[in-house]
Amino acid sequence: MARAARSRTPHPGIPQTPLPRLLLTWLDGVRTLPRAVRRDYRSRRTPPTAALIEPPHPRVRSLGLIAVTVLGAWLGLLLIGSSHAPVGPMDTTMALRPSLTGGTRINVSPLGDLELSSHYGPVRLDVDVDRLDPVRSQALVDHPERFSGLQAEVTRDVTRGAVGLALHSCVAVASGATALGLAVYRRPRRALAAGGLALALLAASAGTAYATWNPRSVLEPKFSGLLSSAPSVVGNARNIVSEFNVYQKELARLVTNVTKLYDATSTLPTYQPDPTTIRVLHVSDIHLNPGSWQIIASLVKQYRINVIIDTGDTMDHGSVAENHFLDPVSALGAPYVWVRGNHDSRSTQKYLTGRRHVTVLDNGKVTRIAGVRIAGVGDPQFTPDRSVVAAGEPAERTAGGRLADALRTQRLAGTPVDIALAHNPTAATEADGLAPLALAGHLHHREITTLPQGTRLMVEGSTGGGGLRAVQNKKPAPVQASVLYLDRTTKRLQAWDEITLGGLGLSRAEVSRHLPRENQPGATPSPSGSPHPPGPSSGPSSSPRSHPARGSSDSHG
């Protein structure tokens, strides 16, 4: 009774009137509502997931760690696992790659691959031959006695490169596995365990390769790409071993020829260009000669070329295996304009279309580079395909007709074309009277003529010296290219330099200056009355290894 009496005793400070007391009771209920809601939620919610899921089995954890280790090691090898190493006169890139069968793959771009069954294991050795170093090659030329020890030198270089690659690969697999382990587990201890396991797997792979190493695999190589014809050209590896003296002499001659060709380009005289001219380098018929890229890059640098024009037959067979030969075109130092030749396939054209700084012209397409408007058409024939009968001259004239239609359209639109391009001169002649200058190739020698309607047709020789097939000829073909000087205002030809380098095995370099007839001293103005400033005031005159440049007039006009 006392407790009940106390409960009915009014609370001090609370009004005793009914309305205020009801209001305060309602407010107390509102304040306690969130706590009631939380209690109800806690009583009804699902227990934590960790309490329902059992920890993974140790085998599952081990398999996960192995998967992370293998993937991380593979990514490490791909990203930072390559190692550069000199082997004799060559610069190479070595790398280990995951493989189910092992072995060694030697990539000699653009010729193809050479595969050796050198070992069995989960890793394959990849060797990419990057380039032939001119300095080390010249040392062999200057000291022929070094060829007797070339085999031992190559062996030492390969051993040294393999040791360097092993150390580099250890860092790559450990870094890759550790980084991926840290990203997956977020625990340094687990990440370090993945790195250590990667090193153990690499060591096991190396042990397997060493145990199954087969040094005689070099006698039974497998060729792919263009190298598939190597046995019929140079004989099989057994013949090379049995006739090593002959092979050694041929190797020395090849190194000598290529080195002298590089040396000839490096001694070309420099030229200070007239700022009032646009300088166009015309090349053609490279035919898969890798030395041509060095020559073109040297000319671009020394003559400060604004645009390179290639009138086709860059390839020899137009196969997909040859496509990587085209990779240097993006790094020659100037925009590259190209039309398809009869040795260039549609695959070649498609591959070049996606390269940086390269413009592919076909079906009369027009481009404007360095202020010069250029239109071109690809060769309609692909002669390496023996299953198709060659269409001959009619097909060339039809292709030239498409080019002529495009030139007429541009002229009617008030945007006339300055240079018309085709590979075959027959197609290029269809541009007569529709462009002041037409460029072509195909003939492997220079021809310069003025067509009946006034267009100047310039046919370039082979910038590849006939290509790789040149080594089959008794007399090496010269390497030819031309630098054309165009007026910046009228885009008309002011002068041109014909550059001729001795072919394989020769080191003669010759540069000759030519002037159009209208630019010769005392010549009458051109019919159009367009101002023609004089040609470049100075040009290459001589070089330590060249004949003096000849100044001559245009005798074909």
Side-chain angles (χ1 to χ4, degrees):
M1 293 296 292
R3 184 178 302 174
R6 283 196 302 270
S7 64
R8 287 194 298 268
T9 301
H11 193 280
I14 296 180
Q16 298 304 311
T17 56
L19 184 59
R21 189 168 52 234
L22 180 61
L23 182 60
L24 288 176
T25 303
W26 180 80
L27 289 175
D28 288 340
V30 172
R31 282 195 298 268
T32 58
L33 181 62
R35 290 194 295 269
V37 172
R38 287 197 300 269
R39 284 195 300 269
D40 182 68
Y41 169 74
R42 289 168 183 169
S43 65
R44 294 173 180 273
R45 72 185 184 92
T46 306
T49 306
L52 297 178
I53 300 178
E54 296 181 358
H57 193 276
R59 290 184 180 178
V60 177
R61 291 200 302 268
S62 300
L63 291 176
L65 180 61
I66 293 175
V68 169
T69 300
V70 172
L71 180 59
W74 178 64
L75 292 176
L77 287 176
L78 287 180
L79 296 177
I80 59 174
S82 301
S83 175
H84 299 280
V87 177
M90 299 173 294
D91 288 335
T92 66
T93 300
M94 298 183 178
L96 294 179
R97 293 291 181 259
S99 173
L100 297 177
T101 58
T104 299
R105 184 186 63 84
I106 303 174
N107 177 32
V108 188
S109 180
L111 302 180
D113 294 339
L114 178 67
E115 297 181 8
L116 307 175
S117 298
S118 57
H119 65 278
Y120 295 97
V123 290
R124 183 187 71 227
L125 174 62
D126 284 3
V127 180
D128 292 336
V129 178
D130 297 330
R131 71 185 186 105
L132 182 69
D133 186 88
V135 176
R136 299 199 299 273
S137 302
Q138 185 64 45
L140 288 174
V141 174
D142 295 338
H143 304 280
E145 66 277 5
R146 293 187 181 181
F147 277 96
S148 60
L150 184 60
Q151 185 177 9
E153 178 185 351
V154 169
T155 302
R156 289 195 302 270
D157 290 343
V158 170
T159 303
R160 189 181 301 113
V163 173
L165 176 62
L167 297 176
H168 206 85
S169 299
C170 288
V171 175
V173 298
S175 301
T178 302
L180 186 60
L182 191 61
V184 172
Y185 296 112
R186 302 183 183 275
R187 295 180 182 178
R189 183 176 298 178
R190 301 281 287 180
L192 292 176
L197 182 57
L199 289 176
L201 291 176
L202 181 62
S205 302
T208 304
Y210 180 79
T212 59
W213 184 257
N214 178 23
R216 296 181 59 83
S217 62
V218 70
L219 299 179
E220 299 177 355
K222 178 182 178 182
F223 299 95
S224 62
L226 295 180
L227 286 178
S228 58
S229 60
S232 62
V233 176
V234 302
N236 58 36
R238 290 187 177 88
N239 290 341
I240 292 177
V241 173
S242 62
E243 302 176 9
F244 186 75
N245 290 334
V246 177
Y247 175 69
Q248 180 175 291
K249 293 178 182 178
E250 292 299 311
L251 177 63
R253 184 174 66 86
L254 179 60
V255 172
T256 301
N257 291 344
V258 174
T259 301
K260 286 186 176 181
L261 184 59
Y262 276 96
D263 187 55
T265 62
S266 63
T267 57
L268 280 174
T270 58
Y271 171 68
Q272 298 299 326
D274 187 334
T276 65
T277 60
I278 299 172
R279 294 163 298 283
V280 178
L281 176 62
H282 182 199
V283 301
S284 189
D285 295 87
I286 292 175
H287 281 291
L288 214 66
N289 186 346
S292 299
W293 301 129
Q294 178 76 12
I295 295 171
I296 295 174
S298 176
L299 294 174
V300 168
K301 181 179 180 181
Q302 298 192 49
Y303 281 80
R304 301 182 188 177
I305 297 298
N306 299 110
V307 58
I308 305 167
I309 292 179
D310 185 346
T311 47
D313 271 8
T314 315
M315 302 303 220
D316 216 10
H317 302 88
S319 64
V320 175
E322 296 173 327
N323 282 346
H324 288 292
F325 171 76
L326 300 168
D327 290 348
V329 299
S330 299
L332 293 175
Y336 196 89
V337 179
W338 182 86
V339 292
R340 187 180 66 252
N342 61 294
H343 281 262
D344 305 315
S345 66
R346 298 283 179 172
S347 171
T348 302
Q349 178 165 315
K350 182 179 180 181
Y351 187 83
L352 259 180
T353 302
R355 307 299 301 175
R356 292 186 304 111
H357 310 307
V358 177
T359 302
V360 174
L361 300 182
D362 196 6
N363 297 317
K365 178 182 176 181
V366 181
T367 186
R368 188 174 186 270
I369 299 179
V372 181
R373 294 182 59 80
I374 309 170
V377 64
D379 198 292
Q381 305 183 85
F382 180 53
T383 53
D385 186 0
R386 303 302 182 185
S387 64
V388 178
V389 179
E393 295 293 303
E396 299 293 343
R397 295 194 181 279
T398 300
R402 292 198 300 271
L403 176 62
D405 290 341
L407 297 178
R408 292 189 187 94
T409 301
Q410 292 295 322
R411 174 174 289 186
L412 292 175
T415 55
V417 170
D418 303 308
I419 303 177
L421 308 181
H423 174 68
N424 195 306
T426 301
T429 56
E430 299 297 317
D432 186 21
L434 300 173
L437 182 62
L439 304 181
H442 186 64
L443 302 181
H444 288 210
H445 64 267
R446 289 192 181 103
E447 286 189 6
I448 302 177
T449 56
T450 300
L451 300 176
Q453 300 298 321
T455 295
R456 186 184 303 275
L457 174 61
M458 306 184 74
V459 180
E460 188 56 76
S462 174
T463 309
L468 295 181
R469 68 185 71 181
V471 298
Q472 304 172 0
N473 303 329
K474 293 182 179 180
K475 183 179 179 181
V479 174
Q480 296 180 326
S482 297
V483 178
L484 315 179
Y485 302 94
L486 308 181
D487 181 78
R488 286 190 178 274
T489 303
T490 64
K491 309 302 185 296
R492 296 298 179 117
L493 183 66
Q494 300 299 290
W496 72 91
D497 288 340
E498 292 180 351
I499 301 167
T500 303
L501 306 176
L504 291 175
L506 303 177
S507 58
R508 175 179 55 87
E510 178 180 306
V511 182
S512 57
R513 167 61 51 80
H514 300 264
L515 299 176
R517 200 176 283 278
E518 63 268 20
N519 282 350
Q520 296 180 29
T524 57
S526 60
S528 63
S530 301
H532 290 287
S537 58
S538 63
S541 58
S542 63
S543 70
R545 291 182 175 267
S546 68
H547 297 303
R550 302 190 306 269
S552 62
S553 62
D554 177 15
S555 59
H556 306 282

